[in-house]
Amino acid sequence: IVNNKDNATVDNTAYCATKIKNYAAAEKYFDMSIKNNYKGASSYLGKAQAQKSQNKTAEMLTTLQDGMKAFPGNMKLETMYAAYYMKEGQTFQKAGDEAKAAENYTKVVNLTTKSFKTQGLASLASLYFNNGAKILQAATPIANSDKAKYDAEKAKAVNDFKKAKDYLVQAQSLDPANQDVKDLMKQVNEALK
């Protein structure tokens, strides 16, 4: 490659390196393409995928963020970014770490693509709805024996149901036809009665 200035050659080398699973080389050549302002968004995506294949998660996320800054609203970059944070959010939610789950879902809410924003908001709503339901279920056995403690727990649950509803209202304003959002809103409204 002549001084790494022939953009098409650099780009083709990056794709070839990806094909033969030489991800370190692919990362290097996609980075050259980015610096040469050649095939911008796809170069960022290629570099991020090469980093993912090398388990360089922090670098991958930085590359995706840089790519989204340079190419706002790029669907492929946002898709890879959203998929990562949705999966992380679900992992933390299953592990019972509500704060970390919410932190990850919020990253998805901050994207520009309407469908991802809606998905992130619905995930946050689901997180708080499920948490509220868990609190209420755990408190039910003491409803008659320790009314004060039950009322305190019920207040926490209702607070989570209200948070869920706030996120669902935002999701509905973005995508009024979304059936999952409608169904969850119905459940939340029932819980708040």
Side-chain angles (χ1 to χ4, degrees):
I1 296 172
V2 186
N3 301 333
N4 302 322
K5 288 292 176 205
D6 179 21
N7 291 332
T9 305
V10 171
D11 189 59
N12 287 335
T13 304
Y15 281 104
C16 289
T18 301
K19 286 273 184 229
I20 61 168
K21 294 180 171 53
N22 184 346
Y23 300 114
E27 180 183 1
K28 178 179 134 189
Y29 287 109
F30 279 122
D31 195 48
M32 285 180 203
S33 282
I34 291 166
K35 286 184 174 100
N36 294 343
N37 293 317
Y38 187 73
K39 289 192 176 180
S42 65
S43 293
Y44 278 104
L45 187 67
K47 181 179 175 184
Q49 288 166 335
Q51 290 166 328
K52 181 182 179 190
S53 297
Q54 298 173 82
N55 295 317
K56 292 179 168 182
T57 305
E59 293 93 329
M60 173 195 79
L61 293 170
T62 300
T63 298
L64 289 170
Q65 288 164 342
D66 292 346
M68 290 185 302
K69 253 184 239 149
F71 300 92
N74 182 280
M75 192 65 171
K76 288 181 178 176
L77 291 168
E78 286 199 358
T79 299
M80 188 172 178
Y81 188 83
Y84 173 81
Y85 280 110
M86 286 301 293
K87 191 175 174 202
E88 285 294 290
Q90 290 160 356
T91 301
F92 283 115
Q93 189 171 350
K94 280 181 191 145
D97 190 337
E98 185 183 293
K100 281 281 189 194
E103 189 183 305
N104 281 278
Y105 292 143
T106 301
K107 301 259 191 203
V108 179
V109 172
N110 293 329
L111 294 172
T112 58
T113 305
K114 188 173 81 170
S115 60
F116 294 137
K117 276 181 164 318
T118 304
Q119 191 180 19
L121 289 164
S123 294
L124 283 163
S126 176
L127 173 71
Y128 288 111
F129 173 72
N130 290 338
N131 197 56
K134 253 189 266 171
I135 291 169
L136 212 51
Q137 187 180 21
T140 300
I142 60 165
N144 297 323
S145 62
D146 191 346
K147 183 110 175 77
K149 188 172 181 194
Y150 173 77
D151 288 344
E153 289 300 297
K154 185 178 177 186
K156 283 188 211 167
V158 167
N159 190 38
D160 275 354
F161 293 148
K162 285 179 180 171
K163 277 186 194 172
K165 186 169 182 164
D166 289 344
Y167 286 121
L168 289 170
V169 167
Q170 292 176 61
Q172 279 186 323
S173 72
L174 287 170
D175 187 0
N178 188 305
Q179 194 58 49
D180 291 338
V181 172
K182 285 180 189 174
D183 293 344
L184 189 53
M185 182 64 95
K186 195 174 163 191
Q187 287 180 287
V188 169
N189 285 331
E190 284 292 314
L192 282 168
K193 278 183 186 169

